[in-house]
Structure formats: C-alpha cells, structure tokens
Amino acid sequence: MSTGPDVDLDAIAREGLMAPPGAVTPAHDGSGRVQLSFTVVGGQDRSVRVPPGVTVFDSASWNGIAIDSTCGGHGTCHKCKVRLDVQTPVSRHDRRTFSPTELEQGWRLACLATATRDLAVEVPPLTTRPKAATVGVGRQVILRPAVQKRYVELVAPSLADQRTDLVRLTDAIDDLEVTVDLAVLRRLPVVLREADWKVTAVVVDEALVDVEPGDTTADRYGIAFDLGTTTVVATLLDLSTGTPVAVASRLNKQQPFGGDVISRISATMMDPDALGRLQQLASETLDELALQVCTEGGVDPAHVYEVAVAGNATMTSLLLGIDPEPLGVAPFVMPTAHPPVVLASEVGLHLHPRARVALFPALGAYVGGDIVAGMLATGMDRDKRTRLFIDVGTNCEIVLSDGDTLVSTAAPAGPAFEGGAIRCGMRAADGAIEVVRVDPAEGTVVLGVIGDTTPRGLCGSGLVDAVAELVRVGLLDASGRFVTADAAKESLPLLADRLTQVGEERVFVLHRPTPDAEVADCVYLSQRDVRELQFAKGAIATGWALLLEQLGLEQDDVQQVLLAGSFGSYLSPASAIRIGLVPKIPVLRIVSAGNVAGEGAKMALLSVRERVGAATLLDTVEYVELSDRPEFNDRFVDLLSFPGGA
Amino acid sequence: MSTGPDVDLDAIAREGLMAPPGAVTPAHDGSGRVQLSFTVVGGQDRSVRVPPGVTVFDSASWNGIAIDSTCGGHGTCHKCKVRLDVQTPVSRHDRRTFSPTELEQGWRLACLATATRDLAVEVPPLTTRPKAATVGVGRQVILRPAVQKRYVELVAPSLADQRTDLVRLTDAIDDLEVTVDLAVLRRLPVVLREADWKVTAVVVDEALVDVEPGDTTADRYGIAFDLGTTTVVATLLDLSTGTPVAVASRLNKQQPFGGDVISRISATMMDPDALGRLQQLASETLDELALQVCTEGGVDPAHVYEVAVAGNATMTSLLLGIDPEPLGVAPFVMPTAHPPVVLASEVGLHLHPRARVALFPALGAYVGGDIVAGMLATGMDRDKRTRLFIDVGTNCEIVLSDGDTLVSTAAPAGPAFEGGAIRCGMRAADGAIEVVRVDPAEGTVVLGVIGDTTPRGLCGSGLVDAVAELVRVGLLDASGRFVTADAAKESLPLLADRLTQVGEERVFVLHRPTPDAEVADCVYLSQRDVRELQFAKGAIATGWALLLEQLGLEQDDVQQVLLAGSFGSYLSPASAIRIGLVPKIPVLRIVSAGNVAGEGAKMALLSVRERVGAATLLDTVEYVELSDRPEFNDRFVDLLSFPGGA
C-alpha cells in the first residue's frame, strides 16, 4: 500500500474524506470531527478525519489503510494491533493480547479503540496475507474475487494428443468454467507457443479474458468506484490480498450540467447532445481516477481486470449512455434493474482491454445501485437488529429492516443538504462552516471550518448544526420561526444582537468578518434557510415514519441508525436527532457509516458471493413508492416541526 | 423467391452450380449432366445442371428453388407436384395423387421423378406455409430457427406498475429466455416510448438483439454460407417459412494467396500482414454475397439477424483472424473445436448491427466445419445403413458410418482435382472439358465442355473421366502406364494416332483445335497427369480403406457412397468406381450429394435442434489421424493401381 507523491490530498480533503494535517479539531462532545494521523510502517503516512466514536480500524479501512485482521473487526482475531499516542480505555481483549508494558506504550486492538479525540496511530507492517478482508461496517469478506488467475505449464501437443489449444488450457484449469471470446481466441495460439506452453490464464467470472505469457498470478487488481452525483471515489484493490493499494476521489465532471440528478436528466431532455456529453464526462471522471490510483499504487493499468461501480440509477444510466428521461418523470421507470456486464473499454476506461465492469443492480429509479451497495456493506439483510439506513442527500434513500423484513423508499429532500437554495450555502469545500456550537452562557458561537480558514459559507452539516443549536438554545421555536427580538434580548442577551435582518428577512449571524461589517457580508442563517431545511428533513422523516408504520414499529424500536453517504456520514448525530432528521433515540445508536457505496463496491470485487448477495437483495427488499400514498402530505406537514430539546 | 437481374448467372455456372440455357447435354448413360429448366409460377425461371439420377425435388432444393413438401421428399405427403415436359416413369404414389389426364399432361411428384435426361419443369406456386423444410439429402427440418420474433403490445407503466422496461418486455415474451446487451438496452427505453409500447422483440438464441417499432414479425431472414477455399455460396433464407429467397456464389477472394489451404497458411507464415489481408478478403467475399442475395431477394440487410457459416478449419480461422499456422504444421492443432459466437459486424458483414454468426464446429484441423455441416445434411449419424461420405478436393475428407459407429479422416489428395499440376489442367470454368467418352469402335472422343465452347483445358471431373475411359478401352494399363504405340495400333487402330509425345512424355490428345495443330497446342492427357491422379486417388482410397478396416468392413459392405462438395458432386460415379476412387460397388449406390456444407448451414439456420445435432457429432465421430499410421504407406502403394473394367 502506498500513497504516491501525485495524490492531491487537498482535493480529497475538499471532498470531505480526509483532512490535511493541522485541520481544526472542535470539542469532542460527540459531534464535530477527530483527526487520526496514521504512521504506516513500510508505507505512506496519512491523516484522516472522521466523526468521533468511529473505531480506529474503521477509520483506517474507510480510507484505504490496511491493518491486519482476519476476524473482521470483532475483537476475536487479536491481529489488528496499533500503537496510539494517548491512553484509551483497555478492553479485556486488549489485556489478553498485550503485556502491561505494551498497554502502557499505547498498544491497542484497532477494532476496539474508539477515536473520541485526535490520535496519532502507528500501524505495523502487514504480517498475514489475508484470506479474508474487512470492509464496510465491520463486514468480513472471504476472498473469492471474480478475477481468478491460474499459472499452468502445459504439455505441448503431438500427433497422439491433438487436443485443441483451448481444451488443452481448460483441461489444466478445470476448477473454473470458462467461455472464450474472439479476441482471446486470436491471442491463444500465439501466446501458448511463444511462451512455450507456460502461461497464466486470466478468468473474470466465467470469461477467459486473457492468456498471459509466464507466471503473472501476483498481478491481480480491481478498482471499486463509488460513482456519486457530486463526488466519485476510486479504490484500487489488490485482489490477491484484499488490500487497498491506493484511493483517490474527485468531483464528478458532470457538475456543469447541474448538481443533482434531476438537473442532469433535464439537460438530456432539452439538448440531444447532452446524453453523449454526460456519458463522456462520466467516462473521463472514472478514467482519470483509474489512472491516478494505478500511478499512485505503481500498478500497470493492464493488470486491472475488473471494476465495480456503485452509482444511483441516473449515474448508472448516464455512464452506460442510456437515456435517463424515464427515470426523471412519473412513473419513474428504470430500463433494467440488472445492468448488463460491459467491458471497461466500452465505458472509456483504459485498463486491461477486456476488463469487465460489474455494475450494482438497483431497487428503483431512486433507490439505486449505490444504496444496494450500501446495504451490502452494512449487512442490512444479515443483521437481526431493527436498523434504519439513511443516505442523506438531494435524493434521500431510506431502508428499514426489522431483522426480518426489509423495506425501502426514496424521499425528495431537495438541495438544502448540498448547500443549494441556502442564502450563504456552499458545498463542503474550504471555507465551509461544517460544525456550529452555541454557548448561551458565554454568548459565543464556535465554528468548525473546513480547511481551518476564514468562514465563507455554510455547508449541509453546518446548516443542520446551526439549526439544531438555535433550536436547543431557544432562538428558533418548534415551528422553525426565529423568536422575536424582544424575547431574544430577554432570554439570551449575549446572542440577541446576532439576530437581525437582511432586507425583510430575519437572520442569525454566524460569522462577522469585521466588527463593523454589513450583515450582507456576513455568513448567516436566514429564516428561509430554516424553512428549506425543514422541508428537507420533513420529507426524510416522512419517509422513515411511513416505513416504520409499514412494519408496525415505533421510533424507539430502532436499535441503530446508519447515516450513510459522503454527506450523511459527516452529519452530527446529536444535531440530526435534535432537528428530527432521525428518530429520537439515544445518540450512541446513531452511527456514521462512511462511504458505504464504495465499501459495497469493494466487497463485490473481493467476493462473488457478496455480489450474489447484492442481486438477492433485490428480491428481498420491497420498494415503497411514496408519491402515490394519500397519507404522505398529512404526515409531511406533521413532521415539519422540530422536536427540540437536547 | 426471385432471381433479380443482378445475378451473374455465368459466374454461378462457372462454379458448377448451374448452367446457362443451352449448355451442352452429353449422352445420358449415368454420367455427364442433365439440364432442368424450371418455370416457377409467380417466381423467376431458372435452369440448373445436375448429374443424372438426381430427383427433380433435390435438383430444385440444391439450387434454392422451393417446391411444396412437408414429408421431406419421401413420397408420403403428395405435395411436391410438378409438371414435366416428357413422360417419366409413373410411381404408385403418382397414381394416387394425379388423375390419368394429369399424368398424361406430365404431372409427377418431384421427389420421385428422377432426372435422367434434360427436362422442362413447371413448378406451381407454394400453397403451404411450411412448418418444416426439406434440406440436405432428403432431410426434413422442423422449423425452429434461433432467430425468433415476438410482436407485443405492452401496458404502459404507472406508479402502481413500475416494472422496468426490460421486465415489462420479457414478461410479455416469457416463452423465451433472453439476455440483453448494452446496445439494445440503450435503444429499449426510446423505442418502447416512441412506438407507444407496441414493438417486436428480436431474439437470437437467448440474446435480445433488437426491439423494433411496430409489428415486423414478417421480416425474419438469415444467410447460410458455404465458405469454401475456392468457391463461396450464399443462400438467403426466409426463416418464417424455411424458403430460400435467393442464392449466389463467387470465387473466394483469397484466391491470389493460393488455391489451397496450405498455400494460404504458408502466406501467413511468411508475411506478417497476410493474416489481416486474408481476413479482410474473407469478409469482403461474404459481404459482397450477402449484399447480392439481399438485393436479389428484395430484402433489407437489416432484417438479416443471423448467418451460419460452414467452412473448413483454415477458412474459419482466417475469417476470424486467428493465426492458422498450427493447422498447417504437425501435429495439426486447432485453436478450438467450437468457434465462439461473434457478431456479423465483427467479421465485416453489413447486416443487422447485432446479427450473429453461427460457425460450425470442427472435428479436426482437416475435418472441419464444412464436413460437420455435410454430415448433418446427409444425416450421417441418423442412418442405419453403412455409408461412406467423401468430400473430394485438395484435402479430401472421409467419413464412414456402419449405422452405429462413425469414424472420419482426412487424406492429402493434392491439387490434381482442382486442375493443378496437370499439364492442360484448369479450374471448372468455361472451356474446361468435364466429361469424356471414348468410343473405340467409332474411334471418336466425345467431350462435354463447360459453357458449350471450344475446349481449353481439363478440369478435375474431366481428368477422372479421361483416365477412366482410357483404362476402360485399354490405352492405360492397370499400373497407369500408357500402352506402347505398337500395342495401341494393333488393338485400337482408330484411336492410336492420338497417342503421341510432348517432348519425352507420352500423351493422349483429347482435342485438336485444327487438324494440323501442333500437339503442344492441343488439349491432352499426359503420363504425368495420370500419375498425379493416381497419387490423389491412392491417398483417398487409402483413407477409406483404413476406415473400413477400423470398423471391420469390406468394400462391398458399403451401401451408399455420398460424393460431396462442389467438386465431388460433379464426378461421374461410373468413372469414380473405374479408377478406384470409391469402393467397387454398384454404380447406383454412388450418390452425388450436392453442396452439403451449404445445406448443413441452412439446417443450422432453420433449426436450433439441428445445430445441437452438429455439436453432438463432435462427441460421436472419432477422428482418425492417418499420418502416424505405420501401415499407411504400404496400403497407399497397394492402392495406386487401377482396378480397371466397367
């Protein structure tokens, strides 16, 4: 595993996956971020930023840093040894693994050590070549990639043994069923003879994709893509070991066509050339990332034989060049739930010429392959607990399991979480306020800002934090209205001067660049911003409320809420509860699940069994269309208000 | 069925499939040719030339002329009514089918009427839309093409019915299992909506290859190709009825690289560009023929969804662009026995963009897909008789069945049959002597010449005839040596002056352009020509002799000899027996089987069951490699001589 000098760490940080060294660390009260600085022995050092409460093991795993493990993070294999710079609680597994001196030196099992504050983590070199890899939310995957290699030394043909070249090869790799296409058949006779009958067969699923001279079994790679509407993440995996070799992310190059799926679908409806252009941009995005991770990992792109792509239905259609219009207009119909197997070259990737693309199947037009991947990564169908999975975004996908039955739906949350339609809104980039803490006694407003720089605007998690804090301290009432200036002066005198107006609209000033700056030059939260957030969270809450009803459950039956996606994972669980975005349950039951779509894509690459599991999910999970539910509107109105309290 | 004005009938005639009107008709003594002039009511008139003894039905069938039939030419359905211009023998089936007046008018069942002389044949219009078609040598094929079409009128989607486009379609055609590729998936949403959910699904095997607006079920075509080393024949078939629509043939454009497979393989070994060029020429040959039959038949090439190709292993490899070198050098190994399914566009055909190519599997490097097709067409594996199948050519393929076990081999006959290495040799084109009759009493030599023109040379069947006649009249002895001039003058005074010399070599003059022409300007048969033919027939006879031995059979156990291929079918059975090319059995047991490779290709297009049958043949037929048999040479020397007699 290496991180080459070409990695644009800043770009990755802007996408919210990692923070550059020295990023601000807010108070660790169960919200905000903590920073983990990994020193990898024999590898490249890396810093990552995660919500507090995530284990050191998961923090590493989400960011492509390999730590020894065979049990999948359950504390049983005692292999995931790391050394921390501070004393964290010692578990009984730690005691059985380490000597008192080692414990004193900071050695802990990474899967049991929770990051509740900034940590420096020393990671020993990998000692095992794992037969299993840990991915997703504590999911352990037995390695059985679709990509298989077999080195064989064949007996040369003779008049007494005139078996065909193909039969000679397949007889020698008879543990695999293979089909052969014309391109490989053209190479086969030449390579067999040039390599003196010593070759490596490369098989993906049941397709013989190449015959390589000599023994190339050590070179077996795949790339897992999380093809998001906003951000695309690529992880290069060594399929022999299950180890991530390099990770990279960048903005989806389709951005100029609009920030959300609807605007991109609209573009194709208005301009006949837009579909081709969007397809091209999706290809370029993936191809640039593929080249980047290969360069970074020192891997020849020709040794990448498969990629897995988890994307929503629109992203998947656009990548494949399929007209997305039916996804965008009622009754929201997909071309197919199971995308066909295509060659990576067909979608513009410059990898092995016959590398294949495994695309995740989709449940519905708005519960796409990214969510199926997320369900796989979080084991939604294998956990007996009542769990709620929420991928927060412009389109919010929700899955509920009572440990037996699975239901899913999509809620149109609108652009608020992406910073859209918010007066001072911006994406989660440098200068965006992402954490807000209001102290009424001190009269202070503490801000966590991405890039540790001057605040320029408010991103989605900052918006949620700001509203939650103002509800908590009483500057916003349960209906979402700012209290009167008089009431504010009376109850919160130290904060009352921040409550002012821009034009006719009431606002709360979060950051004033200079003491005498005009309000219009400040970063503020407006009354309309609050309304936007209310509509968004109302739609989401209506979604899970109706799903709970469908399974006959109450809010506090939910044993775990998984906040997923690059945005959802960075929400403050406390704030999410406070504004009613998630059911009102103890904060520790709210888990930031990380980039679960990308984790699901990794699982698909590492295990054909998991891939079958993804396909099975489609038969297991019922898709509930909310837009034709008569009770939707009443419920929505009920859920616009804020439950309040802390 | 039509023959458009663009057909080059002369070109077809040169390839020996049909004769232009007015071609010479030699004496009908069981050798030579007879001409059948078909008048097709509602169709195009055609003349064809076949060996005497072939039924009118087969003569029509081999040449793509449809005659009603459901029984497959067994005299039971009484549907194949034709009217002949001469009185032929009346069978009991004829009596049960026709009134005495009709019989008097020349009406007969085509499957029972044998063409022993020139005939004019009136063919009534087709009255039945057959569920079965008769192809090959009396094989009846139940129509079940791989190409299937289904017209469906789908219910438009709604919020209550959000089935995907693909599931909506496949639910409506649930008698077919289909897979879908990216190209079709791109069209699907667009076509379904533009056509208001009324579409025709086009399925080839299990692949959904297109969705066409409206009802296009009537337009369903395929092309059967016999891809010969010398000649390529294309038959356009209406897959709904099994009827041939048009037929065309032309020389294989690879000719400049040599007349036989070995010279073409050698070309690829000496010039790295030759493989690409040969592939290109094969593609062009097939594509030009495809365009020709489509134009002739008035069929849009986009309605051709499948082609079947029967070719030997080298032709198949070259068409696919696979290096043929291992086929040409010991131990003669094929890349695969089962060529992969490829798109017609991949081999350069301009038909439906996702039309598929079904290539026949091969038994061995020298018993290729053409022979497997021929075995299918002649029912080699389904007939309880002891039968010998011989495809005579540069490489001669031989299959023997005792009604139970099937064995096959290949014999290297050399170029003699193609007119190669023969002093006055030429291909079977205008001016070639193809029939020779010597009358010792009259002292005459009667020649049948292709194109009814001045003799220019001797083609393969003429060579066989000439040698057989000279053996019969005693000018050649059993060892293949011309008798002495003195002996000739004594026993055959009227012919003796034709026995002369060119340089040191003794020759027999077949045609003298002017009475005082130099011998070198005549068409003659030389002593070395006789030796060439002896080597060729010796190799072939050794092949079938060893196969007979393998199954413990004697020559006269053979109940039928099938002479196959565009050359073998035109051999005189009597002459073939006389020179020992075939076992010494009654002449009526020698059957000219016609272009059986092309017939097999038609069967594959018309019936998936027959296609499975072809694949099954590979497990059924044992391939016997002769080149490592120690007894081969002794047997070969034994079989060089001529059995003689008539």
Side-chain angles (χ1 to χ4, degrees), chain A residues 157-168 180-183 185-186 188-190 193 197 279 319-323 326 330-342 346-347 623 625 627-628, chain B residues 157-168 180-183 185-186 188-190 193 197 279 319-323 326 330-342 346-347 623 625 627-628:
Chain A
S158 64
L159 285 176
D161 172 10
Q162 290 178 316
R163 281 177 299 163
T164 66
D165 288 346
L166 184 60
V167 169
R168 190 171 305 277
V180 66
D181 72 2
L182 181 54
L185 205 55
R186 282 179 182 154
L188 184 64
V190 180
R193 287 163 182 83
W197 307 94
Q279 181 190 11
L319 176 65
L320 294 177
I322 299 172
D323 180 10
F332 315 116
V333 170
M334 292 189 290
T336 180
H338 298 274
V341 170
V342 296
E346 288 182 87
V347 293
Y623 177 63
E625 176 65 48
S627 58
D628 63 345
Chain B
S158 65
L159 284 176
D161 173 11
Q162 291 179 315
R163 280 178 299 162
T164 65
D165 289 346
L166 184 59
V167 168
R168 190 171 305 276
V180 66
D181 71 1
L182 181 55
L185 205 55
R186 281 180 182 154
L188 184 65
V190 179
R193 287 163 182 83
W197 306 94
Q279 180 189 13
L319 175 65
L320 294 177
I322 299 173
D323 180 10
F332 315 115
V333 171
M334 292 190 289
T336 179
H338 299 273
V341 170
V342 297
E346 288 181 90
V347 293
Y623 176 65
E625 177 65 48
S627 58
D628 63 345

Side-chain angles (χ1 to χ4, degrees), chain A residues 48-72:
Chain A
V48 307
R49 206 165 51 147
V50 296
V54 173
T55 69
V56 172
F57 189 86
D58 283 348
S59 306
S61 172
W62 295 359
N63 290 282
I65 299 166
I67 297 179
D68 265 339
S69 174
T70 56
C71 77

Side-chain angles (χ1 to χ4, degrees), chain B residues 299-361:
Chain B
V299 167
D300 181 348
H303 288 139
V304 176
Y305 303 98
E306 189 175 43
V307 307
V309 178
N312 63 46
T314 303
M315 288 305 107
T316 301
S317 270
L318 291 177
L319 175 65
L320 294 177
I322 299 173
D323 180 10
E325 180 175 338
L327 299 171
V329 296
F332 315 115
V333 171
M334 292 190 289
T336 179
H338 299 273
V341 170
V342 297
L343 295 184
S345 60
E346 288 181 90
V347 293
L349 295 179
H350 294 85
L351 301 168
H352 186 281
R354 281 171 301 282
R356 298 187 157 220
V357 183
L359 288 147
F360 269 87

